[in-house]
Amino acid sequence: MVAFPIDKQVLSDRTFEAITALIYEAIGLSLNASKKSLVASRLGPRIQRLGLGGFDDYLALLRDEAEAAEFQMAVDLLTTNETYFFREPAHYQVLEQELASRSNKNAPLAVWSAASSFGDEAYSTAMLLADLQQAGRIGADWHILGTDISHRVLLAAKEAVYPEDRLRNVSPERLRRYCLRGEGPAQGQAMIQARLRERVRFGQLNLCKPFSGIGPFDVVFLRNVLIYFDAETKRQVVDRVVATLRPGGLFFLGTAEGRVPAEVPLTVIVPGAFRKPSKV
């Protein structure tokens, strides 16, 4: 396969529609015909860097489920990225403080990232918990569940390969401990190390429908997903999710989402961080 100059690459209507359909199916992002030139300009340099023959070859790559990391790279190139490691760092500070103050530091710890997307949130939490374990502030019995409605983003989450910019809020020490940097065609990407990936499992789940068989959890993240739902659906989703929390458990929403009505009264710790009552 021979690469050709970027100015010679042509994105046909058919290939544009196929690429945008994949993106829409995975993350719900709609790119209409007016975005064709944007798609071409964002993906063209990536195609050239990979040494591919053009947009049709890149489409074939995106359709290959074994290339989940490349699909994620395409999503990042086509969006104003709002998914990244240690987003809303105040929440991780609250989590660290709350866990370190538990009376039984060796008690099992279960965390749920309920709208995990590509896994940034789940692996950020895993880095924090691994650090706390190493410092003797929590025990070794902890695990994280990440769920999402999109099969394709879950494949990428399991692969755990990320554009380096997504890890811009990860400290150099954590990057050394928990990440492997790519070389060659993988330059500009980083993989989460196996010892951390083993702590996180992913599964498909639709929050808008009743579910069972998961939990109970000590910590639940439900951040930056409720904005897609109407008021009644928000209430139903929050009630379902909070029901999986143990009494006294921690519940996190996106800071900009405010406070969503819930059947169980929640105590505010900081904006977006709540505690479920110890007795319900």
Side-chain angles (χ1 to χ4, degrees):
M1 201 178 295
V2 179
F4 53 92
I6 189 170
D7 60 351
K8 299 295 184 182
Q9 295 185 25
V10 177
L11 175 59
S12 69
D13 290 342
R14 176 185 58 80
T15 304
F16 167 75
E17 290 168 2
I19 290 174
T20 54
L22 282 175
I23 301 294
Y24 179 78
E25 179 185 0
I27 64 170
L29 175 65
S30 179
L31 295 165
N32 59 34
S34 68
K35 302 294 185 182
K36 183 179 175 182
S37 61
L38 179 145
V39 171
S41 64
R42 296 280 180 88
L43 297 185
R46 180 64 181 168
I47 292 168
Q48 188 175 46
R49 180 169 189 168
L50 293 174
L52 300 177
F55 288 98
D56 286 342
D57 291 338
Y58 194 63
L59 172 61
L61 198 64
L62 297 182
R63 282 174 166 164
D64 185 351
E65 291 190 344
E67 297 291 342
E70 187 57 41
F71 182 83
Q72 184 176 181
M73 176 66 82
V75 169
D76 275 11
L77 290 171
L78 294 175
T79 60
T80 302
N81 186 29
E82 288 297 334
T83 302
Y84 50 89
F85 278 62
F86 290 99
R87 184 178 181 181
E88 301 194 76
H91 288 173
Y92 293 97
Q93 294 170 9
V94 168
L95 179 59
E96 179 176 358
Q97 293 164 3
E98 293 287 328
L99 294 181
S101 66
R102 293 202 305 174
S103 57
N104 182 0
K105 297 190 184 302
N106 292 316
L109 179 63
V111 179
W112 180 21
S113 175
S116 60
S117 185
F118 289 111
D120 307 57
E121 181 178 81
Y123 289 122
S124 297
T125 306
M127 289 181 184
L128 173 60
L129 298 188
D131 283 352
L132 292 176
Q133 178 192 339
Q134 186 174 4
R137 300 171 73 185
I138 66 171
D141 187 1
W142 59 269
H143 68 273
I144 298 169
L145 171 66
T147 63
D148 200 275
I149 194 171
S150 170
H151 171 66
R152 186 175 285 274
V153 300
L154 289 170
L155 287 174
K158 293 174 183 176
E159 193 166 276
V161 177
Y162 297 93
E164 287 187 350
D165 183 62
R166 295 263 284 279
L167 290 95
R168 59 188 179 273
N169 290 342
V170 180
S171 69
E173 293 78 14
R174 283 176 172 157
L175 286 173
R176 285 194 295 269
R177 283 198 296 270
Y178 303 125
C179 302
L180 300 171
R181 289 190 167 180
E183 298 177 351
Q187 185 177 354
Q189 296 179 317
M191 173 181 281
I192 305 301
Q193 290 190 8
R195 62 193 177 99
L196 211 63
R197 298 200 307 272
E198 291 167 357
R199 294 283 191 163
V200 185
R201 64 185 178 93
F202 292 95
Q204 193 169 24
L205 187 144
N206 185 349
L207 294 170
C208 295
K209 296 181 179 180
F211 54 81
S212 61
I214 62 172
F217 299 101
D218 302 284
V219 180
V220 173
F221 289 91
L222 184 68
R223 302 191 299 178
N224 306 302
V225 67
L226 295 177
I227 56 174
Y228 299 109
F229 305 145
D230 60 34
E232 178 58 21
T233 303
K234 288 180 182 179
R235 185 192 62 77
Q236 293 175 2
V237 169
V238 170
D239 285 342
R240 288 189 196 107
V241 171
V242 170
T244 69
L245 260 180
R246 289 191 174 98
L250 300 175
F251 179 59
F252 294 95
L253 294 175
T255 302
E257 294 175 296
R259 181 165 186 164
V260 178
E263 183 177 342
V264 174
L266 300 169
T267 302
V268 179
I269 304 173
V270 300
F274 307 86
R275 183 182 289 106
K276 186 175 181 178
S278 297
K279 294 182 179 180
V280 181

